[in-house]
Amino acid sequence: MSIYVGNLSYDVTQEDLSKVFAEYGSVKRVQLPTDRETGRSRGFGFVEMQSEDEESSAIQALDGAEWMGRAMKVNKARPREERGNRRSGGGGNWG
């Protein structure tokens, strides 16, 4: 399972996020996606912890908590959706 952490300051580093979540258990991995063009943080991340109990404790304690001037949004991450080839426009008879 993974934890979604949103509304983060753009200055947050993986180390910063790891330290905050380490107060609630053992952090396995932290991901902070960056913008492809600017290289800047996108304002959200994902944290994986050793156990579901640790993740639940962290979610309960940190959701809505103010950190670095922002109220964090913390919840269970939803599974990533497949991005298929989406075609826009309606079908129809081109004959």
Side-chain angles (χ1 to χ4, degrees):
M1 186 177 91
S2 190
I3 300 171
Y4 167 82
V5 187
N7 200 32
L8 293 173
S9 165
Y10 295 115
D11 298 326
V12 170
T13 65
Q14 289 184 329
E15 294 80 29
D16 292 335
L17 203 52
S18 184
K19 285 179 188 175
V20 168
F21 278 81
E23 293 180 31
Y24 303 95
S26 181
V27 175
K28 287 173 41 178
R29 186 167 65 143
V30 174
Q31 288 181 282
L32 284 175
T34 54
D35 183 273
R36 288 183 191 150
E37 294 177 17
T38 65
R40 188 174 94 164
S41 170
R42 295 175 62 194
F44 67 91
F46 299 94
V47 177
E48 286 184 36
M49 300 185 75
Q50 198 66 38
S51 74
E52 285 196 36
D53 286 342
E54 292 172 343
E55 289 178 347
S56 295
S57 295
I59 290 168
Q60 195 168 23
L62 296 173
D63 187 34
E66 189 169 321
W67 184 50
M68 297 180 86
R70 292 173 169 240
M72 290 192 292
K73 178 68 181 155
V74 184
N75 55 38
K76 288 185 181 188
R78 285 184 253 142
R80 206 171 166 169
E81 292 181 12
E82 287 295 318
R83 291 185 179 181
N85 288 337
R86 295 185 194 158
R87 297 183 182 206
S88 60
N93 233 342
W94 289 89

